[in-house]
Amino acid sequence: MNVEEIKQLITYFEQTNLTKLTLKTGVVELSLERGQASLPSPCWGHHESLPPAGSREGVVDMKPQGSLGHFVHSPMVGTFYTSPAPDEPSFIKVGDHVTPDMVVCIVEAMKVMNEVKAGLS
């Protein structure tokens, strides 16, 4: 299979409704696949595209400087909630004094709500 034949296959593939084409001839294997259409954003929220994996775009280094206090790190990846329900007040506010066993937020992971405690006063 030469370059011209590959170009003809690509042209043919673009003119059809096929989503995937795989061709094996001898030692040559060619696989063409259309990109998947992006999903529509949900009507209840604003959808933004994420930066490519591994990029540092939008990353903020969260290192305490001076007397900013202590950062509480989540033990897992998930959705962060400041209050137990949308219509309830936040667990804590900036400047509040906390105890080690005080819940400071909830992290939802795989439909399970996990309380995150301050860990220190």
Side-chain angles (χ1 to χ4, degrees):
M1 178 172 276
N2 62 34
V3 176
E4 286 304 314
E5 291 173 324
I6 294 173
K7 286 181 182 180
Q8 289 175 357
L9 277 173
I10 292 171
T11 302
Y12 170 77
F13 181 73
E14 289 174 342
Q15 295 172 352
T16 66
N17 291 331
L18 295 173
T19 56
K20 186 173 183 179
L21 173 69
T22 302
L23 175 68
K24 296 178 187 178
T25 59
V27 295
V28 176
E29 182 176 334
L30 176 67
S31 181
L32 302 173
E33 188 170 345
R34 291 191 195 281
Q36 295 182 1
S38 62
L39 298 174
S41 60
C43 60
W44 60 85
H46 179 70
H47 177 73
E48 293 182 15
S49 61
L50 297 174
S55 78
R56 298 277 302 160
E57 180 183 336
V59 173
V60 177
D61 289 327
M62 300 295 287
K63 295 181 182 169
Q65 298 175 359
S67 63
L68 286 178
H70 174 74
F71 284 86
V72 177
H73 297 277
S74 174
M76 67 203 67
V77 175
T79 304
F80 172 83
Y81 296 100
T82 60
S83 63
D87 56 343
E88 293 187 30
S90 297
F91 289 109
I92 61 167
K93 296 182 288 300
V94 175
D96 284 355
H97 291 280
V98 297
T99 61
D101 292 329
M102 186 179 285
V103 176
V104 295
C105 69
I106 293 176
V107 176
E108 178 188 3
M110 296 178 61
K111 303 291 183 191
V112 176
M113 299 297 184
N114 302 281
E115 292 182 341
V116 177
K117 297 183 179 178
L120 63 120
S121 295

